[in-house]
C-alpha cells in the first residue's frame, strides 16, 4: 500500500510538472502572433516601400494644396465679401480646383511610354527600385484619375451651392450685405454677383456662360472615360475604351478655358490698398461717402485669373511630343517575313523594320489599317535581341485579333499592312539583373519569357561571360495541351544546349496543365518511366493541376538562402496576389538573407 501511495504521489507530481511545462510553453508561444504580423509588415516593406513612399508623397501634396488654398479663400481679406454671399462653398470649390489642376498635370505622365522607356533603360541613376515603380505606371494613372473624380465631385457640388447662393442674394431685397453686394457695379465690369437679374436662373448661367458650359462638357467627357475604363469594358469591348479614352483632348481643352470668364471674383488689390475692411464691412451705408469715412470706397471686384494652363502646359507639350514620335515611328515600313498559325489559334508574326532595337521582355503596339486606322493593341515581343527580326504571338481574344488572324489565315487574301510603334520597356527587362529569377507565365502570358529564354540560348551559344544570373526557374501554366506547342521546340533546344555546355542545372522549368481528363492522367501514369513526357515530348514531366507556390518558394529560399530573387509574372490578377503573398512570407528582413522581389507585366 505504501508503495502504491508513493507511486501515485510521484505520478501526481509528474503530472503536475508536465502540466506546468505545457503551460510555460504556451506562455512562450503566445507572443508569436504579433511577431508574425511584424514580420509580414517588414516583408511587405521590402517589396513596396518605394511605391508606398510615392503614394504617400502624392497624397500629402494633395492634402497640402487643398488645406493651403482652402484657408486662403476661407480666411483671406480679398474674398471676404465673396464669402458673405457664398459662405464656405467658395473655399471648397477653389481648393478642389487647385487639386484638379495638380492631378491633371500628373495624369498624362504615366502614359508617356517613351519617357518611361528612357528612364528605364538610359538614365544611369534609375536603379532597380525606381524601375519597379515605373512598372506601376498604369496603377498610378488610375489613382490620379480617381483623385480627379473625387475633386470634380467636390467642385461640382460646391459650385451648385454657389449658383444657388448667388441667386438667393440677387432675389433678396432686405438690405442685407449679400443683397447690397449683388447690386453694385451692375453696369460695369467690377461686379461681384454674376446673376444680375431676377429672371436669371442657375440653370441659365450653367448653359450660357463659359465656365458653366465647359464644366458640363468636361464632366460628361470624364464620365464617359471613367465608365469605359472598367475591366469588363476593356476586356470585352476594347474599341469602346479606346475611342472614348481619347476624349481626354476635350477634357484638357475645356479645363484650360474653363476659368477665363472669371465668374468667381475677389476684391481687387487696388480697391483693398487703402480700404478699411474692419469698418466698411459693418457700415455698407457709408460706402463711397468721403465725408463719413475717407477709406470706404465702394468695393471693386475682378475675376480670379485662369491658371489651369500653367499647370498642364508642360505635360501636354511632352505628351504631344510623345505622340508625334510614336506617329513618326509608326510610319516606318514594316516587312512581314513569316506568319505561322500555332495550335489554339495563336498567330506568330515575324517582322523586320529599319532601325528597330529591342531588349528582352519589351512590347510593341500593332496597328492594321485594313481593320482600323485608329486601333493600336499591345503585344509582347517573343524574339530575342540577338535575332535579326522581331516577332509577336497573337491569341484570338476579341474582334480585332480574330479579324487579324482570319486575314492571315485565308490564303486567297493578300497579307495586310502592319504598323508598329515601340518597343517599350517592361518589368521583364530586369530579369538578368537578379542572381535568381522565377518566371511565371499563364497561357499566352508566356510570351515575354520566350524572349528571355531565347536570349539565354544565344548567351550560351556565344559563351557570354557577363551573365550575372545564376539560376532561372520557369513555370508555365496552361489550360490545354495545344498551347505547349508554341515554344516546345525552344525548350527542347534549351535542354540540349544546357546539357552540352555543362550547365544543365541553370534552367529549371515546370509545365502545369490545368485542363485535363482522367484518360490523359492515366496515359501519363502508364508512361511515367519513359525518358520524355507524353504530353510535350520534353524531358521535364508535365504536372496536372496548379503549382503549390508556398512549397516552390520554400525550395528556392532553401537552395539560395543569401540571394536576391526576382519573381516575374505575366498572368491574371488572382495569380499575382498569390505570388505577392508568397514574396512577402518568404522574404527575410535580414539584409544578408534571401529576398523575393515581385514584378508584373502591365500594359
Amino acid at each position: 500500500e505504501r508503495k502504491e501511495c508513493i507511486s501515485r504521489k510521484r505520478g501526481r507530481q509528474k503530472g503536475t510538472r508536465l502540466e506546468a511545462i505545457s503551460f510555460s510553453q504556451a506562455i512562450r508561444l503566445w507572443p508569436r502572433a504579433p511577431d508574425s504580423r511584424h514580420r509580414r509588415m517588414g516583408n511587405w516593406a521590402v517589396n513596396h516601400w518605394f511605391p508606398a513612399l510615392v503614394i504617400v508623397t502624392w497624397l500629402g501634396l494633395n492634402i497640402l494644396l487643398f488645406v493651403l488654398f482652402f484657408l486662403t479663400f476661407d480666411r483671406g481679406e480679398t474674398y471676404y465679401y465673396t464669402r458673405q454671399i457664398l459662405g464656405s462653398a467658395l473655399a471648397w470649390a477653389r481648393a478642389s480646383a487647385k487639386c484638379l489642376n495638380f492631378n491633371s498635370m500628373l495624369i498624362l505622365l504615366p502614359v508617356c511610354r517613351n519617357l518611361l522607356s528612357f528612364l528605364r533603360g538610359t538614365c544611369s541613376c534609375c536603379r532597380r527600385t525606381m524601375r519597379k515603380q515605373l512598372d506601376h505606371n498604369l496603377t498610378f494613372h488610375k489613382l490620379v484619375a480617381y483623385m480627379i473624380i473625387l475633386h470634380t465631385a467636390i467642385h461640382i457640388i460646391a459650385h451648385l451651392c454657389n449658383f444657388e447662393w448667388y441667386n438667393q442674394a440677387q432675389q433678396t431685397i432686405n438690405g442685407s450685405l449679400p443683397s447690397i453686394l449683388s447690386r453694385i457695379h451692375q453696369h460695369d465690369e467690377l461686379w461681384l454677383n454674376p446673376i444680375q437679374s431676377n429672371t436669371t436662373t442657375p440653370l441659365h448661367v450653367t448653359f450660357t456662360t463659359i465656365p458653366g458650359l465647359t464644366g458640363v462638357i468636361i464632366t460628361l467627357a470624364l464620365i464617359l472615360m471613367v465608365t469605359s475604363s472598367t475591366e469588363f469594358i476593356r476586356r470585352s469591348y476594347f474599341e469602346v475604351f479606346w475611342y472614348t479614352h481619347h476624349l481626354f483632348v476635350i477634357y484638357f481643352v475645356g479645363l484650360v478655358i474653363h476659368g477665363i470668364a472669371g465668374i468667381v471674383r475677389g476684391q481687387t488689390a487696388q480697391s483693398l490698398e487703402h480700404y478699411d475692411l474692419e469698418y466698411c464691412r459693418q457700415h455698407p451705408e457709408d460706402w463711397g461717402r468721403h465725408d463719413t469715412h475717407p477709406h470706404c470706397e465702394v468695393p471693386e471686384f475682378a475675376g480670379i485669373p485662369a491658371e489651369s494652363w500653367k499647370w498642364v502646359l508642360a505635360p501636354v507639350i511632352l505628351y504631344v511630343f510623345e505622340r508625334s514620335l510614336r506617329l513618326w515611328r509608326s510610319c516606318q515600313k514594316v516587312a512581314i517575313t513569316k506568319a505561322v498559325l500555332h495550335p489554339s489559334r495563336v498567330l506568330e508574326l515575324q517582322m523586320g523594320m529599319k532601325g528597330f532595337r529591342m531588349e528582352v521582355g519589351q512590347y510593341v503596339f500593332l496597328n492594321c489599317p485594313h481593320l482600323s486606322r485608329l486601333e493600336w493593341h499591345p503585344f509582347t515581343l517573343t524574339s530575342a535581341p540577338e535575332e535579326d527580326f522581331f516577332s509577336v504571338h497573337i491569341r484570338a481574344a476579341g474582334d480585332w485579333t480574330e479579324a487579324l488572324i482570319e486575314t492571315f489565315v485565308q490564303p486567297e487574301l493578300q497579307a495586310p499592312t502592319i504598323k508598329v510603334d515601340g518597343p517599350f520597356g517592361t518589368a521583364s527587362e530586369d530579369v538578368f539583373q537578379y542572381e535568381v529569377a522565377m518566371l511565371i507565365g499563364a497561357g499566352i502570358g508566356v510570351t515575354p519569357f520566350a524572349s528571355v529564354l531565347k536570349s539565354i540560348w544565344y548567351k550560351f551559344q556565344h559563351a557570354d561571360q557577363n551573365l550575372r544570373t545564376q539560376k532561372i526557374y520557369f513555370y508555365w501554366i496552361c489550360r490545354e495541351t495545344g498551347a505547349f506547342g508554341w515554344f516546345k521546340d525552344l525548350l527542347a533546344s534549351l535542354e540540349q544546349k544546357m546539357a552540352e555546355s555543362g550547365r544543365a542545372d541553370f534552367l529549371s522549368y515546370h509545365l502545369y496543365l490545368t485542363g485535363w481528363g482522367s484518360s490523359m492522367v492515366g496515359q501519363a501514369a502508364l508512361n511515367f518511366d519513359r525518358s520524355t513526357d507524353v504530353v510535350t515530348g520534353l524531358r521535364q514531366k508535365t504536372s496536372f493541376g496548379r503549382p503549390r507556390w508556398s512549397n516552390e518558394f520554400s525550395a528556392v529560399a532553401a537552395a539560395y538562402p543569401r540571394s536576391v530573387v526576382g519573381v516575374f509574372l505575366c498572368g491574371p490578377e488572382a495569380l499575382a496576389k498569390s505570388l505577392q503573398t508568397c514574396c512577402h512570407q518568404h522574404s527575410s528582413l535580414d539584409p544578408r538573407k534571401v529576398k523575393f522581389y515581385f514584378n508584373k507585366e502591365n500594359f
Side-chain angles (χ1 to χ4, degrees):
E1 291 178 359
R2 185 178 179 185
K3 289 182 179 179
E4 289 178 4
C5 181
I6 292 173
S7 67
R8 284 198 300 268
K9 184 176 180 182
R10 287 177 178 175
R12 284 196 300 271
Q13 290 175 347
K14 185 177 181 182
T16 303
R17 190 184 303 115
L18 287 173
E19 291 174 2
I21 291 172
S22 299
F23 183 72
S24 65
Q25 287 175 341
I27 296 259
R28 287 197 302 271
L29 290 172
W30 181 261
R32 290 187 181 180
D35 290 344
S36 177
R37 286 197 297 271
H38 293 158
R39 186 173 184 274
R40 287 198 300 269
M41 290 177 62
N43 291 338
W44 180 89
V46 168
N47 276 273
H48 299 289
W49 72 268
F50 191 73
L53 177 63
V54 172
I55 298 300
V56 168
T57 303
W58 168 67
L59 289 173
L61 289 174
N62 274 279
I63 294 171
L64 177 65
L65 276 174
F66 191 91
V67 171
L68 179 64
F69 284 95
F70 187 93
L71 294 176
T72 298
F73 286 90
D74 195 55
R75 305 287 176 85
E77 290 186 353
T78 303
Y79 306 101
Y80 174 80
Y81 287 125
T82 314
R83 290 195 299 273
Q84 296 307 302
I85 298 178
L86 304 180
S88 61
L90 169 69
W92 283 97
R94 298 313 303 167
S96 58
K98 293 298 178 183
C99 291
L100 269 173
N101 288 335
F102 172 64
N103 287 283
S104 296
M105 176 186 70
L106 298 177
I107 192 73
L108 290 177
L109 296 179
V111 292
C112 290
R113 302 180 187 276
N114 286 294
L115 173 65
L116 299 180
S117 295
F118 169 78
L119 292 175
R120 176 185 295 279
T122 308
C123 185
S124 59
C125 63
C126 188
R127 296 187 176 182
R128 180 166 54 199
T129 305
M130 177 63 175
R131 291 197 298 269
K132 278 172 61 66
Q133 178 59 29
L134 296 178
D135 298 331
H136 300 295
N137 61 315
L138 294 183
T139 301
F140 186 66
H141 177 74
K142 293 175 185 177
L143 288 175
V144 174
Y146 296 147
M147 188 65 75
I148 288 176
I149 295 168
L150 172 64
H151 288 293
T152 297
I154 296 173
H155 192 71
I156 290 172
I157 293 171
H159 271 315
L160 288 175
C161 294
N162 287 339
F163 281 144
E164 187 60 35
W165 304 152
Y166 275 137
N167 189 49
Q168 287 185 11
Q170 178 61 33
Q171 300 289 339
T172 304
I173 54 174
N174 58 5
S176 63
L177 186 55
S179 175
I180 295 171
L181 289 168
S182 298
R183 285 167 175 77
I184 60 175
H185 299 297
Q186 287 191 339
H187 302 293
D188 55 35
E189 295 298 321
L190 302 175
W191 45 267
L192 177 60
N193 192 336
I195 299 179
Q196 299 181 1
S197 170
N198 290 340
T199 60
T200 304
T201 63
L203 188 64
H204 179 267
V205 174
T206 300
F207 288 98
T208 59
T209 61
I210 292 177
L213 193 58
T214 55
V216 171
I217 294 173
I218 289 172
T219 303
L220 289 176
L222 193 60
I223 290 173
L224 289 172
M225 285 190 289
V226 171
T227 54
S228 65
S229 300
T230 58
E231 186 74 14
F232 173 75
I233 296 294
R234 286 191 293 111
R235 295 287 184 186
S236 305
Y237 307 98
F238 183 82
E239 296 81 2
V240 175
F241 160 75
W242 180 260
Y243 289 124
T244 54
H245 228 59
H246 282 77
L247 292 173
F248 80 91
V249 176
I250 295 176
Y251 172 84
F252 276 97
V253 172
L255 183 69
V256 168
I257 66 177
H258 179 63
I260 61 175
I263 281 186
V264 178
R265 298 189 154 206
Q267 195 169 354
T268 63
Q270 184 179 0
S271 177
L272 276 171
E273 187 174 1
H274 301 294
Y275 194 79
D276 188 352
L277 181 62
E278 189 66 29
Y279 175 85
C280 298
R281 68 181 184 179
Q282 300 177 11
H283 302 87
E285 68 276 2
D286 292 338
W287 289 355
R289 296 179 57 184
H290 296 282
D291 57 331
T292 305
H293 196 290
H295 300 296
C296 205
E297 298 288 344
V298 177
E300 300 175 349
F301 302 94
I304 301 171
E307 295 182 345
S308 296
W309 67 272
K310 298 178 183 178
W311 290 84
V312 302
L313 180 62
V316 166
I317 291 175
L318 183 63
Y319 188 76
V320 169
F321 176 77
E322 160 92 7
R323 293 304 293 260
S324 300
L325 178 61
R326 292 169 64 176
L327 178 63
W328 172 83
R329 192 162 48 198
S330 66
C331 292
Q332 305 301 306
K333 184 179 180 181
V334 178
I336 301 175
T337 57
K338 188 177 181 180
V340 180
L341 185 65
H342 292 285
S344 303
R345 286 187 64 78
V346 173
L347 176 67
E348 178 185 359
L349 293 180
Q350 294 185 6
M351 296 165 282
M353 188 170 72
K354 184 178 180 182
F356 188 91
R357 293 187 299 272
M358 61 163 288
E359 297 294 335
V360 294
Q362 291 187 327
Y363 68 98
V364 294
F365 278 88
L366 296 186
N367 169 260
C368 181
H370 175 71
L371 302 178
S372 172
R373 292 187 177 275
L374 298 179
E375 287 188 50
W376 291 81
H377 295 262
F379 296 96
T380 306
L381 291 167
T382 54
S383 52
E386 294 84 357
E387 293 176 313
D388 59 357
F389 63 89
F390 63 95
S391 64
V392 295
H393 283 65
I394 303 170
R395 179 172 62 92
D399 296 340
W400 190 88
T401 51
E402 284 279 5
L404 182 68
I405 292 174
E406 284 299 323
T407 304
F408 278 96
V409 167
Q410 296 179 12
E412 66 275 7
L413 296 179
Q414 184 179 0
T417 301
I418 295 293
K419 293 185 177 181
V420 176
D421 179 26
F424 302 107
T426 65
S428 298
E429 283 187 58
D430 296 335
V431 167
F432 298 127
Q433 301 295 324
Y434 291 90
E435 300 168 10
V436 180
M438 297 176 67
L439 315 180
I440 300 108
I444 196 67
V446 74
T447 50
F449 309 129
S451 176
V452 174
L453 296 177
K454 285 183 180 180
S455 185
I456 291 173
W457 189 91
Y458 281 103
K459 290 180 185 298
F460 277 89
Q461 185 80 11
H462 299 99
D464 189 348
Q465 300 298 322
N466 297 321
L467 185 60
R468 179 184 176 185
T469 306
Q470 302 173 9
K471 177 74 175 182
I472 287 183
Y473 294 87
F474 174 54
Y475 304 84
W476 190 3
I477 308 164
C478 288
R479 291 181 181 178
E480 53 187 12
T481 57
F484 290 123
W486 304 340
F487 303 113
K488 180 175 65 176
D489 294 339
L490 171 62
L491 291 173
S493 179
L494 276 170
E495 279 184 335
Q496 181 181 356
K497 196 64 186 176
M498 301 297 172
E500 291 176 355
S501 60
R503 296 285 300 275
D505 59 341
F506 177 83
L507 174 66
S508 175
Y509 68 93
H510 309 270
L511 308 180
Y512 292 86
L513 186 64
T514 58
W516 43 273
S518 56
S519 60
M520 185 182 300
V521 177
Q523 184 181 4
L526 290 173
N527 295 274
F528 185 77
D529 293 333
R530 289 179 54 180
S531 59
T532 58
D533 183 54
V534 294
V535 177
T536 62
L538 298 169
R539 297 176 188 173
Q540 177 67 39
K541 304 294 184 179
T542 300
S543 301
F544 295 89
R546 301 182 185 278
R548 296 183 177 181
W549 291 116
S550 184
N551 294 346
E552 297 293 334
F553 275 77
S554 297
V556 174
Y560 297 91
R562 298 182 181 275
S563 296
V564 177
V565 182
V567 180
F568 297 85
L569 168 69
C570 187
E573 194 61 36
L575 180 56
K577 292 180 180 179
S578 299
L579 294 175
Q580 276 188 311
T581 301
C582 288
C583 286
H584 299 162
Q585 291 176 347
H586 293 86
S587 292
S588 173
L589 296 178
D590 189 340
R592 297 167 298 179
K593 295 184 179 180
V594 66
K595 289 181 176 57
F596 292 88
Y597 288 95
F598 181 73
N599 303 269
K600 185 179 184 299
E601 298 292 316
N602 295 289
F603 300 114

